[in-house]
């Protein structure tokens, strides 16, 4: 779940104590130029949280009245996962490939060679907002999420993800950047 950071300080306090929330981060978002028309009411700063049960989180968000877009990502399956110590950057890409496509195996093999990628997953995206955007994002069910471990700058992590995307493109699999989240602080 990725909800705009702002006036929901009471919600953040609740989530810090909630057993349903596994991890929670304060992040800054960088949307790609291609995605901006689909998300006109986006924010710059978000709270990125992983949770166990969706209904309670959605209820919390709706009860606090959202004036900007919130994003919910449902994982379809991990491509791979390795142990890591510090999550520093999360980059989301969209692709035309879906779970079960042979290209997904090639994608996983290329990304697995990148040592700082802590986890790569296939995911779907839902928008949570008071008013839905005019345009529907066409690749909402075809997302690839990379979680990068790092201790360097966010610009270095962004360049690392771009090199990873280019490595995947050399195999003939196009990934297009949707949004990247630079983790500024771990809240839980």
């Amino acid at each position: 779940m990725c909800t705009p950071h702002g006036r929901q300080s009471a919600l953040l306090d609740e989530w810090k104590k909630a057993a349903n929330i596994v991890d929670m981060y304060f992040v800054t978002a960088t949307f790609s130029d291609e995605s901006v028309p689909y998300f006109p009411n986006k924010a710059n700063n978000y709270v990125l949280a992983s949770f166990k049960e969706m209904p309670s989180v959605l209820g919390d968000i709706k009860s606090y009245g959202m004036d900007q877009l919130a994003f919910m990502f449902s994982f379809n399956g991990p491509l791979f996962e390795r142990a890591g110590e510090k999550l520093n950057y999360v980059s989301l890409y969209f692709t035309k490939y879906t779970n079960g496509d042979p290209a997904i195996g090639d994608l996983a093999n290329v990304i697995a060679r990148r040592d700082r990628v802590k986890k790569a997953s296939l995911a779907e995206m839902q928008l949570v907002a008071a008013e839905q955007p005019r345009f529907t994002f066409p690749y909402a069910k075809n997302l690839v999420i990379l979680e990068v471990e790092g201790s360097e700058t966010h610009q270095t992590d962004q360049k690392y993800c771009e090199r990873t995307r280019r490595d995947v493109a050399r195999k003939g699999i196009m990934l297009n950047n949707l949004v990247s989240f630079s983790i500024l602080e771990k809240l839980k």
Side-chain angles (χ1 to χ4, degrees), residues 2-120:
C2 190
T3 182
H5 182 271
R7 298 172 294 188
Q8 296 102 344
S9 61
L11 175 62
L12 292 179
D13 290 339
E14 286 179 29
W15 279 5
K16 284 180 183 177
K17 298 173 190 168
N20 187 38
I21 303 297
V22 179
D23 291 312
M24 191 166 60
Y25 302 93
F26 174 64
V27 301
T28 186
T30 305
F31 287 83
S32 70
D33 292 338
E34 296 171 332
S35 67
V36 170
Y38 295 102
F39 312 115
N41 198 13
K42 63 184 177 21
N44 291 328
N45 295 312
Y46 286 88
V47 172
L48 183 65
S50 59
F51 55 89
K52 296 176 187 173
E53 293 181 13
M54 179 177 47
S56 65
V57 171
L58 282 175
D60 288 347
I61 289 173
K62 289 178 181 176
S63 70
Y64 280 90
M66 300 301 298
D67 58 345
Q68 291 180 307
L69 285 176
F71 302 90
M72 187 177 70
F73 305 103
S74 304
F75 291 105
N76 291 339
L79 296 173
F80 73 89
E81 187 172 355
R82 63 173 63 106
E85 296 188 22
K86 182 185 176 203
L87 181 63
N88 200 47
Y89 197 78
V90 178
S91 194
L92 279 78
Y93 299 90
F94 60 93
T95 183
K96 68 178 183 177
Y97 302 103
T98 58
N99 203 355
D101 259 321
I104 295 297
D106 291 338
L107 171 79
N109 288 333
V110 172
I111 295 173
R113 289 187 212 129
R114 305 295 291 179
D115 62 335
R116 289 179 36 210
V117 177
K118 180 179 170 182
K119 183 178 180 180

Side-chain angles (χ1 to χ4, degrees), residues 116 152-163:
R116 289 179 36 210
E152 300 186 28
T153 67
H154 296 295
Q155 290 82 6
T156 304
D157 294 332
Q158 188 275 331
K159 289 176 185 174
Y160 182 84
C161 287
E162 179 57 24
R163 284 191 305 272

